[in-house]
Amino acid sequence: MRIAKAAAALGLWGLTVGCTTMRMAVPPDVAAGADAVQVTERSRFSGALANEGFNLASSRVESVDRNWDSSRSLGIGPYQSAKTEGGYSYVWVAPGGRWEGVCASIAERQDVGMAFGVTFSETSNRLGCTCKSGERYASLALGRKGMDEYIGQVTSSGGESWVVLGLRELDSGYRDVKPAGYRLDRDAPTADSPGKLVAAVEVLFPGRIWFARGLSEAAKEEAGCLLAGLLLYSPKEAKERQ
């Protein structure tokens, strides 16, 4: 009897743990200095037959296409001639206008030196995203620094230049293998002080986006479109294309 009760209790505990949703640990300066917007109407399914659109307050993502032609150049910012290896396109509809977004994996090969003069070629993937609305555009370059740090940069036609940093800490106290979210800053965060926050995103389902208070509507549109691209991104998919 005791064994049956223990087994039942253990099963209930396992079910409770299994149903626990992982959440990103929100950095203190993001929680204190930005307004959070929850992603809604988002499906867990992905692929040709799935509707991957979602809402974000008065903005929305629609027309997600995972069959974007990888032979095309992103054609904006640092990706004028970059060789892409598959990606996806989407539309970001904001109160101020409609943005066409594209994200693609960009392969880079480099020789890595080992002991005794041995070298080998290593292929790594960066993510490139571009968003365009009329003559306006914003582009994002994201890569890995070392084994576990994701870092990049955003540039735009309006002269903005932001640093992108992956966030791996979970609210459980653990660190995930891949980013649970990303933040955009006007200055690179250091060990002593955070950067000047622009926006942040939690990519764990269903997702959230934060915009720094006082951020202009133009900057919100640019950041929102690029962060929507990160919400649709899967580092696992990029690795499989290597």
Side-chain angles (χ1 to χ4, degrees):
M1 188 67 175
R2 290 181 178 178
I3 294 176
K5 286 183 178 180
L10 183 60
L12 181 60
W13 176 83
L15 181 61
T16 303
V17 172
C19 292
T20 301
T21 302
M22 291 191 301
R23 301 304 300 263
M24 181 186 80
V26 182
D29 64 315
V30 174
D35 297 314
V37 184
Q38 182 71 46
V39 172
T40 60
E41 302 297 321
R42 186 182 185 189
S43 171
R44 288 184 178 272
F45 296 100
S46 175
L49 300 180
N51 178 6
E52 296 189 61
F54 53 82
N55 296 331
L56 197 87
S58 57
S59 301
R60 67 182 184 274
V61 168
E62 59 185 37
S63 303
V64 178
D65 182 6
R66 295 281 177 183
N67 294 318
W68 181 76
D69 183 3
S70 63
S71 65
R72 295 160 50 191
S73 167
L74 292 181
I76 297 177
Y79 304 115
Q80 292 288 349
S81 59
K83 180 182 178 182
T84 60
E85 295 192 342
Y88 49 92
S89 62
Y90 59 97
V91 174
W92 168 254
V93 183
R98 181 183 178 92
W99 291 73
E100 304 287 338
V102 173
C103 292
S105 177
I106 298 172
E108 292 184 323
R109 296 189 65 86
Q110 58 181 349
D111 291 331
V112 179
M114 301 290 286
F116 308 110
V118 177
T119 63
F120 70 95
S121 293
E122 179 183 65
T123 301
S124 60
N125 283 84
R126 290 188 302 151
L127 178 71
C129 290
T130 62
C131 288
K132 188 173 183 180
S133 178
E135 296 300 316
R136 296 173 60 193
Y137 73 83
S139 63
L140 176 149
L142 179 67
R144 291 181 65 173
K145 180 181 179 182
M147 292 298 294
D148 60 2
E149 185 177 4
Y150 290 77
I151 192 168
Q153 186 175 17
V154 168
T155 56
S156 76
S157 55
E160 298 284 7
S161 181
W162 305 327
V163 176
V164 187
L165 186 65
L167 303 172
R168 295 172 52 215
E169 288 75 17
L170 303 175
D171 60 2
S172 63
Y174 292 99
R175 300 190 76 195
D176 204 351
V177 175
K178 57 187 179 183
Y182 301 87
R183 61 181 292 157
L184 307 181
D185 294 274
R186 284 200 165 87
D187 302 304
T190 66
D192 299 323
S193 64
K196 188 175 181 181
L197 180 69
V198 174
V201 61
E202 177 183 28
V203 297
L204 300 178
F205 187 88
R208 289 179 287 177
I209 288 181
W210 291 260
F211 294 109
R213 297 188 184 103
L215 191 66
S216 69
E217 291 302 317
K220 283 183 180 180
E221 288 187 10
E222 295 170 357
C225 183
L226 293 173
L227 294 180
L230 290 177
L231 275 163
L232 294 168
Y233 174 55
S234 170
K236 179 180 178 181
E237 291 177 354
K239 185 177 180 180
E240 289 174 348
R241 295 191 186 101
Q242 289 186 15

